[in-house]
Amino acid sequence: MSTDLLQPSTPKAEGPAVTPPPGPDVPEKFRDPETGEVRVDALAKSYRELERRLSQRIGPPPADASPDALQRFREAMDIPGCPEDYAITPTHSLCCADPAVNARLHDAHFTQAQAQLVYELAAESLLPLVAEAAAQYEADRQREKLHVYFGGSEPFRRVAAQLNAWGGANLPPPVFQALSTTHEGVLALAQMMRTGEPGLAKEASPPTAASESELRQMMRDARYWRSRDPQFVQRVTEGFRKLAGK
């Protein structure tokens, strides 16, 4: 259908007036006072200055920073003024605050919370490794003494197999386990096996917790494992014999 261009056109219905979107909410100091236009160069300069200040607050001060700047940084980050001001709460008697460690933590800008975490991690992760290494060292030392007594590692290996078989068949497990942990205990086992030790039956009543604990404490005494006091060692051996039901 063609349109007659010579006929007057029908006026279009007018809708509501469209309001242009507002301009950006920019402070007046960033607008040109004459034209009202945004001064992009002033905005960029202000942003760079803000970024510089934020980086100074977040990161540690440079090595040549003034004492005042360093003090402000430490106060903002909850870093004590000196290593002695760290308030460390020890979680184990072997992981108490150490002045040398605190000095290094302070030089590295550790906060109070971070320094406390270092000691907690040491108690949680390192102490078990130290205890395991110490136990292994003591076991190796005791085993070496047995090698010397029995004439070498191979003769002791054969004796150990015999003691394991005899002890497992004739002694209560707690007694056998306790005697197997020291040089003197193994020698006592060897003596029992040679003589037969009447009355040491596996079915004997197990030792009470208190009595077994007392004997284990005696085995940790230096007179038992270091100086090998004959009377003291004999007391421990006789104690296990009595507990076994002789």
Side-chain angles (χ1 to χ4, degrees), residues 104-173:
R104 296 191 63 180
L105 296 178
H106 194 261
D107 289 342
H109 305 299
F110 274 53
T111 67
Q112 168 63 42
Q114 290 171 336
Q116 177 67 42
L117 180 61
V118 169
Y119 283 92
E120 292 176 358
L121 290 175
E124 177 182 333
S125 302
L126 296 182
L127 287 183
L129 296 178
V130 172
E132 182 180 350
Q136 184 60 47
Y137 171 80
E138 180 60 22
D140 290 342
R141 194 178 71 88
Q142 297 282 326
R143 189 176 293 108
E144 182 62 28
K145 292 168 66 176
L146 291 169
H147 290 173
V148 173
Y149 181 87
F150 287 101
S153 59
E154 183 60 26
F156 173 68
R157 187 185 65 80
R158 293 193 296 267
V159 172
Q162 297 172 9
L163 291 176
N164 272 317
W166 183 88
N170 293 276
L171 297 177

Side-chain angles (χ1 to χ4, degrees), residues 163-183:
L163 291 176
N164 272 317
W166 183 88
N170 293 276
L171 297 177
V175 175
F176 180 51
Q177 180 181 7
L179 292 176
S180 299
T181 57
T182 65
H183 166 262

Side-chain angles (χ1 to χ4, degrees), residues 40 52 72 81 98 122 125 140 193 217 236:
V40 178
R52 184 184 67 83
R72 288 194 299 270
D98 182 89
S125 302
D140 290 342
M193 183 177 68
Q217 183 65 34
V236 175

Side-chain angles (χ1 to χ4, degrees), residues 6-27:
L6 297 180
Q7 298 295 324
S9 60
T10 304
K12 297 180 180 179
E14 295 184 358
V18 178
T19 304
D25 185 13
V26 178

